[in-house]
Amino acid sequence: MREGIPTCISHLASFIFEVFMDDFLARFNEQEQQRHQKTIRLRERGVNPYPLRATRTHTARQTIDAFTRGENLSGVKLVGRLVALRDMGKLSFAHIQDGSAKIQLMFRKDAVGADNYAMLLKDFDLGDFIGAEGDVVRTKTGEITLQVARFELLAKTLSPLPEKWHGLKDTETRYRQRYLDLLSNEQAREIFAKRSKIVTAMRKYLDERGFVEVETPVLQPLYGGGAAEPFVTHHNKLDRDMYLRIADELYLKRLLVGGIERVYEISKDFRNEGIDFKHNPEFTMMECYQAYGDYTTMMTLVEELYAACALAANGTLQITYQGHAIDLTPPWPRATMRDLILKMSGVDIYADADLPSLERRVEELNLKIERQRTWGKTVDELFSAFVEPTLIQPTFVMDYPEEISPFAKKKPDTLRARVVERFEAFSLNMELGNAFTELNDPLDQYARFMEQAELRNAGDKEAHPIDLDFVEALMHGMPPTGGLGVGVDRMVMLLTDQSSIREVILFPQLRT
RNA sequence: GGGGCGGUAGCUCAAUUGGCAGAGCAACAGCCUUUUAAGCUGUGGGUUCAGGGUUCGAUUCCCUGCCGCCUCACCA
């Protein structure tokens, strides 16, 4: 009697399971129903549609390379996804795709046995993972082919895959079900393979120059290091709001105070802003800092870094981006923001070094730009409107307004203009990098925070919050330092010729 | 947030002025021992994004919503 209770419960459980399962199966489309029936048939004849293990002796690529070298290949075991099957009657050709390449298989009815041959044609589907063993031969048309002696199912696929010829085009499905994009579109696989090579090359470049890779907090009590709105989250036990980082800067510079002379981090930053073809709410940033360097040190570093990554991805420094030929060969041209703005708009920002006179000048010249709150933002607006679109080849733009650069050191000899040692590199309206001669004067840093606080009070949501903990770190002494930030996604876009950031992020943010 | 374009079979795409919702691939049943998007014969498959409206009749016209793309604005 006591034993009856668990039995009863287990019957109930299996009953509930079947109800849910029936409901689930009922939602299958025609082809999924058919494939499910095949799975049942396979089980009935003793074939496990999802065996625990697979063995292989060669990848497709290794097989093709070895055969091409003239090796005699027998007893080769290949695995992969069945992507094409051409039934000729007593003979069938198939292609399987593994992680390395596509390779043809030949199934002969007399070689594999009538029953097995019938099972292949009746119960195997495109998309299934299979394993096959046999000798490698060349067919009449010259294609390197595995002549199959034995084969097995490695994993049954229930849903049909996108069409072989056109692939998957629907952008929404491509992003939401990236696996379908990857398995049906060669180009998608190439982009992410290149992305991996680029990041590897970046690490190699930095590691070889003595930079130490570190990890700093993503979850922060106070965000900072850039001008952006953060994501806010909440820690329940501490009962306090926390922020997802918008930049790594302030933590990395604390490490310079701690004596790490060269440091970098490649990591996700999060910004609570609009989503478009060049902005994803989470994106990958590389930041690095070099003690006893300055922004000119970082210019050399960034152009070499791009060169190293371009070579790793494409084997060349001559790239094409959206129809424009770009030459990444160092050194890149350098120009001050002042000279570029003067040339393109006729405004000398050093002569009109405060907001009222700059606005008067803009009005005199009848320049159409949005009104800004500060001199620095107006300068930036002039730059964006008149200079940035003209920069096709990679160009260093040097010496930015202090008001939009709260962590960069002041530049001497700029007349009355408040300018700092900062550069951004631009090409085709893309920012390739952003670097400063880092501010290490704690009192100046405090003053900058106060200035940001005023902007904040005036309603600028992106003004930087005060970080006294960081000021305290600077009070303990930070060496003169050059610092650099590079948007990794943007770099990958440039080096893979993609116009949308969503093409270089595996799972980009879409509306939920 | 503004403007424009789009959402049709598992996938890629058609559908005339508002008049039976189609093709190729995939699937299913066959034929075929050297194919390469194999070929041939036959068959099945639709909440036309969702909801409402106009109409004898809506994939088509109108409204609302959802989603995507482009663009402008915002934004490193």
Side-chain angles (χ1 to χ4, degrees), chain A residues 203-431:
Chain A
R203 284 210 163 85
K204 181 164 178 276
Y205 176 89
L206 293 164
D207 290 344
E208 282 173 351
R209 279 154 190 79
F211 285 85
V212 175
E213 183 172 11
V214 298
E215 294 176 83
T216 63
V218 174
L219 197 58
Q220 306 182 346
L222 186 65
Y223 64 95
E229 277 194 70
F231 284 93
V232 184
T233 185
H234 190 80
H235 190 291
N236 290 342
K237 283 284 172 2
L238 297 179
D239 190 24
R240 63 164 299 172
D241 283 345
M242 307 278 283
Y243 304 94
L244 301 186
R245 72 167 154 216
I246 60 168
D248 306 355
E249 173 141 359
L250 300 188
Y251 280 97
L252 293 177
K253 288 201 282 202
R254 284 169 167 92
L255 300 178
L256 278 108
V257 174
I260 303 179
E261 292 188 357
R262 295 184 181 200
V263 66
Y264 77 99
E265 180 164 14
I266 298 174
S267 61
K268 287 282 182 70
D269 288 348
F270 305 83
R271 298 190 182 181
N272 207 340
E273 291 159 0
I275 299 172
D276 64 27
F277 68 97
K278 57 163 80 167
H279 296 88
N280 198 59
E282 59 177 297
F283 59 100
T284 305
M285 181 69 96
M286 188 286 291
E287 288 191 33
C288 65
Y289 294 84
Q290 178 171 339
Y292 313 111
D294 63 8
Y295 75 152
T296 63
T297 317
M298 303 327 268
M299 282 184 217
T300 307
L301 195 155
V302 74
E303 60 195 8
E304 286 182 2
L305 181 68
Y306 266 85
C309 293
L311 285 176
N314 300 315
T316 173
L317 300 181
Q318 314 300 319
I319 62 169
T320 301
Y321 188 74
Q322 304 297 295
H324 293 86
I326 302 293
D327 184 1
L328 293 170
T329 308
W332 301 346
R334 304 176 181 195
T336 63
M337 192 173 230
R338 177 206 195 183
D339 289 348
L340 290 168
I341 291 176
L342 184 59
K343 188 173 150 199
M344 300 312 298
S345 74
V347 177
D348 183 352
I349 58 170
Y350 287 9
D352 294 305
D354 57 70
L355 183 61
S357 56
L358 185 59
E359 283 186 331
R360 268 199 305 279
R361 189 83 183 121
V362 164
E363 205 165 315
E364 273 171 32
L365 293 171
N366 199 24
L367 303 174
K368 301 272 182 291
I369 58 165
E370 296 271 319
R371 268 188 80 104
Q372 302 294 324
R373 244 186 228 110
T374 64
W375 177 81
K377 290 199 170 199
T378 307
V379 169
D380 197 34
E381 184 70 17
L382 281 170
F383 176 77
S384 300
F386 296 102
V387 181
E388 201 182 316
T390 69
L391 301 176
I392 308 300
Q393 297 302 321
T395 305
F396 289 113
V397 179
M398 302 160 62
D399 304 338
Y400 276 63
E402 182 188 322
E403 284 160 325
I404 57 171
S405 315
F407 301 104
K409 208 180 262 185
K410 285 191 182 82
K411 187 177 175 62
D413 308 323
T414 56
L415 305 176
R416 285 167 41 246
R418 295 174 59 211
V419 171
V420 294
E421 287 200 352
R422 170 186 182 183
F423 75 76
E424 293 188 315
F426 286 95
S427 172
L428 293 169
N429 277 319
M430 285 224 286
E431 179 202 312

Side-chain angles (χ1 to χ4, degrees), chain A residues 72 93 169 356 373 383 408 439 488:
Chain A
N72 192 10
F93 291 95
K169 289 190 172 169
R373 244 186 228 110
F383 176 77
L439 180 58
V488 175

Side-chain angles (χ1 to χ4, degrees), chain A residues 65 77 85 90 103 164 171 188 256 272 314 360 385 476 508:
Chain A
D65 289 348
K77 292 182 181 175
L85 181 61
K90 296 184 184 65
I103 190 167
K164 59 188 170 190
T171 48
L256 278 108
N272 207 340
N314 300 315
R360 268 199 305 279
H476 291 83

Side-chain angles (χ1 to χ4, degrees), chain A residues 442-457:
Chain A
L443 297 187
D444 191 355
Q445 184 67 73
Y446 181 77
R448 304 286 187 95
F449 277 141
M450 289 302 130
E451 186 177 358
Q452 290 291 315
E454 271 181 45
L455 291 172
R456 201 175 183 75
N457 287 334

